[in-house]
Amino acid sequence: MRELTVVPVPGPGAEDVLIGHDGTAYTGTADGSILAVSSDGDTIRRIGNTGGRPLGLEWLPEGRILVCDAHRGLLTMRLDTGAVEVLADSVDGRRMRFCNNAAITADGTIWFSDSSAKWGIEEWKSDLIEDTRTGRLLRLGVGESEPEVVLEGLCFANGVAAGADSSFVVVAETGTRVLRRVWLRGPHEGERDLFASDLPAHPDNIARGSDGLIWVTYASPTDPALTFLQTKAKPWVKLAVLRAPEHLKPKPKRTVRVAAYDDEGQVVHDIECDATKWHMATGVREHEGKVWLGSLVEPALAWFQR
């Protein structure tokens, strides 16, 4: 069991984390802020505000970061001024409900997830309980303004990562506990398959580390109540649970667990950390042996040494 170093930030729900070359950690919080945290955690500055709810973060050229904003769609933000630009906020003329996470391949193409076409981030549990399977993996090419649907019918589409050589992209399907792969080139070009299945817990964000591995957060272990609702419950039972008070709905267990996979889909690391002071890892970045974590519920980042 690894010990965590907790780094408080001035805002709730530091959901994802992105690491700069100098070790600076960037995160977005529920109040819309994008924050820069020094590698030692001693200095925090606000880069800007998206005006929505930032989730997944990725690097773009020219001093910009890509922001998946659950409310506003796919955005860019300049690190020097905090200026925000909307790249895409709708698909086929319909506004996205839950833009979540992204990866960028070598040619500059953005691959990103829209978790649900019915429920927004404030009701993320409802999508899993109802099992809407309206999540999607989307593609936005360089210079394009209209995203293309690549995969649909996903049970809460979540984290996205690219292969080391950009020959494939992987998307986490939280509800079914699988990582799905889309081949972009090579002998399997155009094919879709499972990168990893029957995961031991529900995956959230995923990201390629500096070690070349795809790191996966496990937001919560499997929950028998959620499994029953998804697979056996009648519609009226699901409706009753959806209408129930929040404390009666299934909720994530208090854990911290991450894993790392090679490009063959084999587990290289499976690490559990002490969840006493910080829990529910939803974002992960490995950078030169230091593994940073973000959380949908915590007003703090955390890290451990691999």
Side-chain angles (χ1 to χ4, degrees):
M1 182 82 61
R2 303 291 179 88
E3 292 294 324
L4 287 174
T5 297
V6 178
V7 183
V9 299
E15 197 268 348
D16 196 21
V17 60
L18 181 67
I19 309 300
H21 293 299
D22 62 354
T24 299
Y26 298 85
T27 190
T29 50
D31 60 1
S33 296
I34 301 295
L35 306 171
V37 182
S38 61
S39 59
D40 58 12
D42 289 344
T43 304
I44 301 175
R45 58 189 175 90
R46 183 173 279 100
I47 301 297
N49 193 294
T50 67
R53 200 329 177 182
L55 298 176
L57 306 175
E58 290 295 328
W59 287 112
L60 288 171
E62 301 171 350
R64 300 173 299 152
I65 57 173
L66 180 74
V67 182
C68 292
D69 191 290
H71 294 160
R72 299 194 61 200
L74 200 63
L75 315 176
T76 70
M77 178 179 283
R78 290 198 59 87
L79 293 179
D80 54 356
T81 65
V84 175
E85 177 187 354
V86 178
L87 291 182
D89 59 10
S90 61
V91 182
D92 296 330
R94 295 186 61 186
R95 292 272 299 193
M96 283 184 278
R97 293 296 303 272
F98 199 155
C99 186
N100 195 325
N101 199 244
I104 303 173
T105 44
D107 63 357
T109 300
I110 300 170
W111 303 82
F112 65 104
S113 61
D114 185 26
S115 294
S116 174
K118 182 173 182 179
W119 300 98
I121 186 171
E122 290 77 15
E123 299 288 345
W124 63 269
K125 290 182 186 178
S126 297
D127 187 84
L128 291 169
I129 291 168
E130 192 176 355
D131 196 18
T132 69
R133 298 190 182 241
T134 57
R136 301 174 292 183
L137 175 67
L138 303 161
R139 173 193 175 279
L140 186 68
V142 177
E144 298 176 354
S145 59
E146 181 64 28
E148 172 192 356
V149 178
V150 179
L151 289 178
E152 55 188 344
L154 302 181
C155 186
F156 204 96
N158 212 319
V160 184
D165 60 357
S166 291
S167 63
F168 64 83
V169 292
V170 175
V171 59
E173 193 173 359
T174 299
T176 53
R177 295 183 293 110
V178 302
L179 304 178
R180 297 193 181 276
R181 174 169 51 191
V182 178
W183 287 97
L184 308 181
R185 57 187 179 85
H188 300 291
E189 182 177 350
E191 295 180 11
R192 282 92 162 113
D193 62 11
L194 289 177
F195 181 74
S197 61
D198 194 25
L199 301 182
H202 294 284
D204 204 287
N205 286 352
I206 65 178
R208 183 169 294 281
S210 65
D211 56 6
L213 301 174
I214 294 177
W215 285 79
V216 178
T217 57
Y218 291 138
S220 175
T222 55
D223 185 316
L226 178 60
T227 301
F228 170 79
L229 288 167
Q230 291 179 326
T231 61
K232 297 181 180 179
K234 295 185 181 300
W236 68 267
V237 175
K238 292 185 179 182
L239 182 59
V241 175
L242 288 172
R243 292 175 174 174
E246 188 65 24
H247 70 276
L248 295 178
K249 296 178 182 179
K251 60 183 179 181
K253 304 293 189 298
R254 190 177 181 92
T255 58
V256 178
R257 185 176 179 182
V258 297
Y261 291 76
D262 64 21
D263 274 13
E264 303 302 318
Q266 300 300 308
V267 178
V268 178
H269 303 291
D270 188 347
I271 301 169
E272 292 189 64
C273 301
D274 182 5
T276 304
K277 299 179 180 178
W278 189 97
H279 78 295
M280 196 180 175
T282 55
V284 61
R285 298 283 168 164
E286 184 278 337
H287 180 72
E288 297 179 356
K290 192 174 182 177
V291 181
W292 283 88
L293 304 173
S295 171
L296 180 65
V297 299
E298 294 280 4
L301 297 173
W303 63 268
F304 65 88
Q305 202 70 39
R306 177 172 55 80

